[in-house]
Amino acid sequence: MKKLAVLFFLILFSFTTFAQKPKPTKRTASPAKPIAANVGNEKAEFEKAVGQKNAAERIAALQKFVENFSKSNEKTRALELVVSARAEIADEKLRLNDTASGIEFFKLAVKDAPNPVSDKLFTEILLQIPTNLFFRGQQAKAIEVARLVEQKVQGNANQLLGLATFYIGTENAAEARRLADKAIAINPNLPAAYQTLGLASRLNFQLDEAANAYAKALELDANSTVSKRSLAEMKRATGKTDDAIRLYREILAKDESDAAALTGLALSLFDAGKRTEAEAETVKLLEKNPNNLPLLVGAAYWYAAHEDGAKAVELAQKAVTVEPRYTWAHIALARGLLLQKRPLDAEKALLTARQYGNFPTLDYEIASVRLAAGFYREAAEELKKSFTLKEGLLQTRLGGRVLVEAKNFIELLSLERRASIFELLAADSSENADKIKSLLEFSQKLESADANESAVSEAADEFLKGDDKMKVHRQIFVANRLLENKKALPKVLELTKAAVGGVDSAMDVANPSAAILADELYDSRQIAMIRGQLIIVPDIPRQTLLNILRGRIEEISGWTLYRQGRTGEAVVRLKRAVSVLPEKSAWWRGSLWRLGSALDADGKSKEALDAYIKSYTNGEQDGAKRIVIELVYQKLNGSLDGLDQKIGAKPVTTSAEPITRTEQAQAVAQKSVKEIPAAQTSPAPELKATPKISTELKTVTKFSPSLAAEQTAAADAEKKSTPELKTKISPAVLPTESNTEKKPTIENQNPVTTSDKSSKPLFEPVVIIVPKSETAKLEVKPDENVAEEEPLENKSKSVTRRQRVISEKKSDLQSEETAQCKITVSQENISLVKGGGNLGILVGFEEAGNLKQLMASSSSPNDIEVTLEPDIGAQSGRAFFVVKSISSNKGIYTVTFDAPCGKKNVSVKVR
């Protein structure tokens, strides 16, 4: 869940009013001496003090006024202005990164506030202080100041409720409940207190308690539309649809134009199974207001839950257009796309949503679409971000806060959905949920040091259950993972044998190319996603995919036999793999290299050398592989004379570590990663690729330093059962007569498809940008009903980009670099894990600009560090900065990139 600042101020303050009347002051007898001379001085001194422009001087003048005119009618106002001035100084100090002094001034401002606190001072100054600190990354200090404010307003129920909104906005439901209970103790008949209690309970996923609180608020004020509507929503969320319909109809009986009630009624009719009536109401409402976001999202999700993919996609796409930042709109869209057998499009929708939300349901949805596509390893890694499985029970923290456990995913995550969009039925199936649970269990046991091979095999069997067409892909995934981890090798041979009979049916899935190439695409996809991109492989001819699939089965079988010491059998299976796989492809070269290892171990060193050389000369010639070849060549020939003529000059080694040959193929390094130009953000940029059937696709390479180290370090070749598939994109290669294939392009919305499959190279990559929406602010009528329709999501501020303007009559002394420019960034909203989480950002200019003049600054240098990595970004035409969390503080920060001609802000959420 995201912070609810917009929601709680719109909803809660719509019913929380500060209507206290000031107590009459007892008038005392005028002193005997005349005071006429002081009255004029008092007014003049007050106006003079208020008129001081410098905040510190204004404080001193106001304090002197209070001292000189202690009985003045303006004394309270003067003290309030002192508080305001202290807050002004504090805010300035925070802006200048003098955080400690700023916090002390804020504390002093609260301490100096007059008692009782006026509603104006409370809402405009005191309530804003903890909010200011919290969203500047000073969470602990924000709570500390909030406690000081609470002490100031102890006896005022309404102000305590106002302070509760701060805790709701920072997702601290426990503190919000505590203050609501405190307000109830002061005034048990205050409806607003129960409304606040209901909102806090909903935030904490306690839906029944929220319903009870709203019912009590409605009991105290039967005419409250807010209480009645909130209660109706909780009735929907808890499955009491008939009660919800009755409450909505009661609201409409008094005001037939109540937009929120009309929307709630239409969605309740869907929930009640009255589809015809519900659809008629939906059509009417959308004719009046096509941008009715709650209706579009709620109806889209309902259609997805009832397996109507076309309607789900239709309405969800409209919802995304209305508000691209609402994550549930993307979730509904992804569910509809899954029903249409479009898992990769669904993944794209969910990765867009990830920019605006981060909660367990979203992780689960991403895992679901990756499971459907055959990206099992990525699905498992996504699950491990939020979920654990202990003794058969799944555990997570709803909203990142509330620990819950359940036997299955549908039950576990239902509260997040019901608290957000009030939908009782999940757009999921028990089969899918069970399959994802079994994938998580298999992944956990495989990586556990305590799990024995029997337990791992049992978990694998559970994941492999079923006779669906994806079964072969699961079998190969499990076999490969077991082989990589050197566990249950007999099980690997059992799985590859079983997979042979299902190869043909494995082609009849939604995206056979993705499922078959999942392992090879893994590294490239991980790096691309760091850059906010996706790498998708278009359709590959069926026969080619069949050859790859059959070749992989033989390769995994052969290498498993090699691991078992059955080298003769391994040679047979690996030769079979080489004969089946597309010649000179990455898989072919990998199998050929492993064949060399098996031949060498079987005492056939000359044949092994031939296999090694053939693999080496048809691929990237790294130093680690050459060392293996040198060892075998020297053993056969007594020296290295003539080797360079066979395989070329010796390249620079990829690792400084000494490499020994304990199992012939040990120490084959990962291929070195090469820099390529980054995707531009100017209109219709195009990066042309030059793939050939005989060369692998090389990796997209904008990544963080930690990833760079992993990519270039020497690694054991046996850690990967198949060679790495890389994605090569070179800059703007113009087509020639000999190079007329369809080239992939950078797209902002949809994956590229080609109409002429025969002209495509064997493994053509498509690189797409995950879209970052920048929409104009929605116009909302000043109607409390509309305000309450906003979803429980963080509404990131739209970024207004500065247009590049060049004066027609520029002074000769004015340089090109000082004109207005547009700074572009690869991501405008990023999310980091506290205490070390980091992410790379590409920064450049839409048009020509001097990258050396780009400067980066953090709104909180003690929490967020920004570092330029010149070597990584050198060849891309953009600068590469690493943004890193260097403290344990959570919050929202800002990183600003400045140039003499303009600047650009990036929002950084630390979780």
Side-chain angles (χ1 to χ4, degrees), residues 686-738:
E686 187 173 31
L687 299 182
K688 302 287 184 178
T690 55
K692 297 179 182 179
I693 293 179
S694 61
T695 58
E696 77 269 39
L697 307 175
K698 299 187 179 180
T699 309
V700 177
T701 61
K702 286 303 177 189
F703 48 92
S704 66
S706 59
L707 277 173
E710 293 173 10
Q711 290 289 335
T712 56
D716 185 350
E718 297 155 329
K719 289 182 180 179
K720 297 186 67 177
S721 68
T722 55
E724 177 185 8
L725 175 71
K726 296 183 175 182
T727 309
K728 182 176 182 179
I729 300 182
S730 53
V733 178
L734 297 177
T736 64
E737 292 182 2
S738 61

Side-chain angles (χ1 to χ4, degrees), residues 782-851:
D783 184 327
E784 67 168 1
N785 300 332
V786 178
E788 290 182 19
E789 292 178 5
E790 291 203 20
L792 283 177
E793 297 291 338
N794 176 36
K795 300 293 185 180
S796 304
K797 294 181 179 179
S798 296
V799 179
T800 303
R801 293 192 173 187
R802 186 185 312 192
Q803 299 298 317
R804 191 171 190 271
V805 179
I806 301 178
S807 172
E808 294 181 359
K809 296 181 180 180
K810 185 187 300 183
S811 169
D812 292 339
L813 297 176
Q814 182 183 10
S815 69
E816 181 73 28
E817 294 170 345
T818 59
Q820 283 187 316
C821 64
K822 185 176 182 180
I823 297 176
T824 62
V825 293
S826 56
Q827 294 190 69
E828 293 177 0
N829 299 277
I830 65 175
S831 179
L832 305 176
V833 177
K834 67 178 182 179
N838 66 87
L839 191 67
I841 294 182
L842 289 165
V843 185
F845 298 94
E846 187 173 82
E847 298 185 24
N850 189 346
L851 292 177

Side-chain angles (χ1 to χ4, degrees), residues 538-750:
D539 292 336
I540 293 174
R542 180 185 178 92
Q543 188 57 50
T544 302
L545 289 177
L546 282 169
N547 290 343
I548 294 172
L549 192 55
R550 289 174 176 139
R552 287 208 64 201
I553 292 172
E554 296 297 334
E555 182 196 24
I556 292 171
S557 300
W559 199 241
T560 303
L561 291 166
Y562 173 86
R563 287 287 190 194
Q564 293 179 324
R566 298 157 65 181
T567 54
E569 295 174 78
V571 167
V572 172
R573 302 301 289 269
L574 289 168
K575 282 184 176 180
R576 210 178 283 171
V578 171
S579 69
V580 172
L581 289 164
E583 187 177 359
K584 299 184 179 180
S585 68
W587 302 273
W588 178 83
R589 292 194 307 275
S591 294
L592 196 58
W593 186 268
R594 285 183 164 179
L595 173 60
S597 299
L599 288 166
D600 198 8
D602 202 36
K604 301 174 182 177
S605 298
K606 187 177 184 307
E607 291 181 53
L609 180 62
D610 291 339
Y612 281 144
I613 290 176
K614 197 172 183 181
S615 173
Y616 179 83
T617 55
N618 281 283
E620 190 170 341
Q621 301 176 9
D622 62 78
K625 284 187 175 181
R626 185 184 178 100
I627 290 175
V628 175
I629 293 174
E630 288 176 351
L631 290 171
V632 180
Y633 188 89
Q634 191 165 22
K635 181 176 72 173
L636 289 172
N637 298 285
S639 71
L640 298 179
D641 294 343
L643 181 60
D644 286 353
Q645 285 72 30
K646 288 180 175 289
I647 64 175
K650 188 173 185 177
V652 178
T653 58
T654 59
S655 173
E657 295 290 330
I659 301 178
T660 58
R661 186 166 157 264
T662 58
E663 286 186 87
Q664 285 77 31
Q666 184 180 4
V668 177
Q670 290 184 349
K671 301 169 183 61
S672 59
V673 181
K674 297 184 179 180
E675 197 69 51
I676 55 93
Q680 301 298 312
T681 55
S682 54
E686 187 173 31
L687 299 182
K688 302 287 184 178
T690 55
K692 297 179 182 179
I693 293 179
S694 61
T695 58
E696 77 269 39
L697 307 175
K698 299 187 179 180
T699 309
V700 177
T701 61
K702 286 303 177 189
F703 48 92
S704 66
S706 59
L707 277 173
E710 293 173 10
Q711 290 289 335
T712 56
D716 185 350
E718 297 155 329
K719 289 182 180 179
K720 297 186 67 177
S721 68
T722 55
E724 177 185 8
L725 175 71
K726 296 183 175 182
T727 309
K728 182 176 182 179
I729 300 182
S730 53
V733 178
L734 297 177
T736 64
E737 292 182 2
S738 61
N739 182 24
T740 57
E741 299 93 351
K742 184 77 174 177
K743 302 299 190 299
T745 59
I746 297 285
E747 292 290 336
N748 290 328
Q749 295 296 333
N750 299 313

Side-chain angles (χ1 to χ4, degrees), residues 360 383-398 402-409 412-413 437 440 444:
L383 290 171
K384 286 184 283 187
K385 292 179 181 178
S386 297
F387 305 100
T388 55
L389 184 63
K390 294 182 179 179
E391 299 179 354
L393 290 178
L394 291 161
Q395 293 183 343
T396 192
R397 289 189 177 275
L398 300 182
V402 181
L403 180 65
V404 295
E405 62 180 21
K407 292 182 179 180
N408 59 70
F409 275 108
L412 185 74
L413 297 172
K437 179 181 177 181
L440 178 62
Q444 284 187 181

Side-chain angles (χ1 to χ4, degrees), residues 18 20 22 76-77 79-81 113-127 152-153 156 159:
F18 301 104
Q20 292 179 313
T76 299
R77 186 182 172 201
L79 292 175
E80 290 179 346
L81 290 173
N115 211 341
V117 178
S118 71
D119 294 332
K120 182 178 177 65
L121 178 64
F122 174 76
T123 57
E124 294 183 3
I125 303 297
L126 298 188
L127 185 57
K152 281 285 184 181
V153 301
N156 190 316
Q159 290 178 353

